[in-house]
Amino acid sequence: MFTTRPEIAGTFGVVSSTHWLASAAGMAMLERGGNAFDAAVAAGMVLQVAEPHMNGPGGDMPAILHVARTGETRVLCGQGVAPAGATITHYRRLGLDLVPGTGLLAAVVPGAFDAWMLMLRDTGTMTLEQVFEAALGYAETGVPLVPRVAETIAEVRPLFESEWPSSAAIYLPDGNVPGAGTLFANKPLAATWRRLIAEAKAAGGDRVAQIEAARRAWSQGFVAEAVDRFCTSAEVMDSSGRRHAGVLTGDDMAAWQAHYEAPLTYDFAGLTVCKCGPWSQGPVLLQLLALLKGTDIAATDPTGADFVHTVTECIKLAFADREAFYGDPDFVDVPIDRLLADDYNDRRRALIGDAASLELRPGSVDGRAGRVHEVDAPVAAALGAGEPTAGGDTCHVDVVDRHGNMVSVTPSGGWLQSSPVVPGLGFALTTRAQMFWLDEGLPASLAPGRRPRTTLTPSLALKDGRPRIAFGTPGGDSQDQWQIAFFLRHVLFGMNLQEAIDAPSFHSEHFPSSFYPRTRSPGRLVIEQRFSEHTQAELQRRGHVLEVGPAWSEGRMCAVSRDGAMLKGGANPRGMQGYATGR
């Protein structure tokens, strides 16, 4: 099968990410003697400069890690929680029916930095200064802007000029939109990183002590102080069309830390697939496997109508259960074991027919019917909606090294267009609170201390307890949809990583969006133009509300794998910036 680029293969190490500079920075860490986790952190820091419309230091970050020296596979939760002042009553008193998709009211505790530091402390080997070296250089001297960054800045220029001056000061140098391909620096961000490194080095020569000092400077020191000052004093325009102050405080940041959890798992085709818990949409992919296990999916054409229809109808059922049951399991009872049970999914699978369903059909677990928020008519999204782009709102990094370490990371949030730059820090805050509902009694209802049900969903699969594949993609609600198509094509149909990434893909918009203004489009199925005319016609015959997108428009998949001593990688050609590298 023709591919846009070769599947990378070697025995030393492989890095795949959504930007070539991040992949290069990660590979440089491996070449300097670092491991997969050092490489992931270095790549993640570069992504914050190279893709500021997709992620930032003030964002969110879940990861799945397999640590060779312990044999453990762990989830690292870098999803910050709702502030103490984030109550439904407060937002309702402001006349809001939805949490805005932009501005300060949607800010939760920024979790990415602490999670990256926890990964570096516990599983890395390099110092803070070493893993920041490439990113710091780009922040100070400039990174070549990919076209989509320049386009995003142009789209929000009027907002920056009229309402968000701290953002205009950085992203409109000399009052102009920086051109695609030009060098773009973020010197305030570089200064923030230099101060964090300086405070870390002041703690002495011990690597762990330095990382802990940087974590304190972030959550209890100058970073938290600047965030507190801005959120509690400024009223900024958001997507509601009005100005609001935030509720995030320095105390909220001081009270939260990233942490580890056991992954949820499901066995399929000889692999154990690991995902984050139901505070993410990760279990959706596991339920998709449980639904598909009882079908003849392996006998279909992986680019044909039977394949697309069957997978899409399973997606509708699994995402309906996401809407009805998922939330922060520290606060709500999520019946995740039953949602992944074979007998439950046997009953759910029986709902799939030859025709496309136009209903949102959550299941009933042990007599407990799922309750789904009734989505109103579309809201006119003033000054931007919550999700930055249709092709991906996020970044991704996968790394495997010769020691047997493997990591999958999906950093996001803190987009340049999501909220104003915090003065003096050079970055914006995550607006993940838009994924809460402002109605009581739902699994994803807003409440202080709760994690929003994020769309971020890295993946890692084991073979006989050893890491075999790490994969993931940006794309909001589409992440696990693009991942399931990739995974099936690789595992069941024998496509190599690059072939499975390149194959034409699709996503459903049948269920409520996780992003402001939270609309849904019953039956809508978006596919790439590269699907055959016969496939397109057959999908329409079955009742799918078909939207045919550009030939290379679905997903930004990354993947690495390990088979014995052989390490492999692939990366997405869509958008012309994702790359895998290795040797």
Side-chain angles (χ1 to χ4, degrees), residues 404-536:
N405 299 304
M406 186 178 282
V407 58
S408 178
V409 195
T410 309
S412 184
W415 312 303
L416 70 86
Q417 67 277 27
S418 65
S419 65
V421 165
V422 181
L425 296 183
F427 62 81
L429 295 171
T430 176
T431 52
R432 196 66 59 177
Q434 66 185 287
M435 296 177 175
F436 287 115
W437 294 109
L438 294 180
D439 296 284
E440 301 284 359
L442 295 168
S445 295
L446 176 66
R450 285 190 183 184
R451 287 172 284 185
R453 191 212 65 206
T454 180
T455 54
L456 306 178
T457 174
S459 300
L460 192 148
L462 309 170
K463 176 75 170 178
D464 299 324
R466 296 182 178 179
R468 186 61 177 268
I469 315 169
F471 56 99
T473 178
D477 294 306
S478 300
Q479 288 181 32
D480 284 307
Q481 303 187 61
W482 292 327
Q483 288 184 48
I484 191 66
F486 158 83
F487 183 77
L488 294 172
R489 287 162 171 169
H490 178 60
V491 172
L492 295 184
F493 296 94
M495 295 184 186
N496 70 32
L497 297 179
Q498 194 60 51
E499 289 171 338
I501 290 171
D502 282 1
S505 200
F506 55 93
H507 77 273
S508 171
E509 297 179 359
H510 178 76
F511 43 83
S513 170
S514 296
F515 296 88
Y516 183 93
R518 310 301 300 270
T519 56
R520 64 180 288 250
S521 300
R524 180 182 290 173
L525 174 62
V526 184
I527 68 170
E528 287 182 325
Q529 188 182 39
R530 290 181 294 132
F531 280 99
S532 71
E533 291 184 3
H534 172 75
T535 295
Q536 294 180 34

Side-chain angles (χ1 to χ4, degrees), residues 61 76-79 111-112 114-116 118 215 256-260:
M61 186 278 271
L76 173 55
C77 177
Q79 178 53 66
D114 197 65
W116 285 119
L118 199 61
R215 294 178 73 197
W256 182 87
Q257 290 185 338
H259 66 277
Y260 298 105

Side-chain angles (χ1 to χ4, degrees), residues 293-460:
K293 189 168 69 172
T295 71
D296 62 351
I297 195 70
T300 64
D301 172 356
T303 61
D306 287 342
F307 178 88
V308 176
H309 173 77
T310 301
V311 172
T312 298
E313 293 307 296
C314 289
I315 284 170
K316 292 175 183 177
L317 295 174
F319 274 82
D321 282 348
R322 182 196 74 167
E323 289 304 305
F325 295 108
Y326 288 20
D328 187 342
D330 292 341
F331 289 82
V332 296
D333 177 20
V334 183
I336 197 64
D337 291 341
R338 294 297 303 141
L339 291 174
L340 301 181
D342 287 341
D343 62 335
Y344 174 78
N345 286 289
D346 290 343
R347 294 194 301 273
R348 298 287 279 152
R349 189 186 310 111
L351 297 174
I352 299 174
D354 182 66
S357 170
L358 299 181
E359 301 175 70
L360 190 64
R361 300 182 289 183
S364 177
V365 177
D366 299 330
R368 172 182 161 192
R371 180 186 166 199
V372 176
H373 188 279
E374 293 297 327
V375 178
D376 298 322
V379 176
L383 301 169
E387 188 175 15
T389 69
D393 60 302
T394 299
C395 306
H396 191 80
V397 181
D398 294 313
V399 189
V400 59
D401 67 25
R402 67 192 187 280
H403 308 296
N405 299 304
M406 186 178 282
V407 58
S408 178
V409 195
T410 309
S412 184
W415 312 303
L416 70 86
Q417 67 277 27
S418 65
S419 65
V421 165
V422 181
L425 296 183
F427 62 81
L429 295 171
T430 176
T431 52
R432 196 66 59 177
Q434 66 185 287
M435 296 177 175
F436 287 115
W437 294 109
L438 294 180
D439 296 284
E440 301 284 359
L442 295 168
S445 295
L446 176 66
R450 285 190 183 184
R451 287 172 284 185
R453 191 212 65 206
T454 180
T455 54
L456 306 178
T457 174
S459 300
L460 192 148

Side-chain angles (χ1 to χ4, degrees), residues 15-17 34 43 49 51 128 152 183 193 201 265 294 298 301 318 327 346 354 378 463 572 582:
V15 183
S16 176
S17 86
V49 186
E51 294 195 271
L128 190 70
T152 301
L183 287 178
W193 282 347
K201 294 171 74 173
T265 63
D301 172 356
D346 290 343
D354 182 66
K463 176 75 170 178
N572 179 56

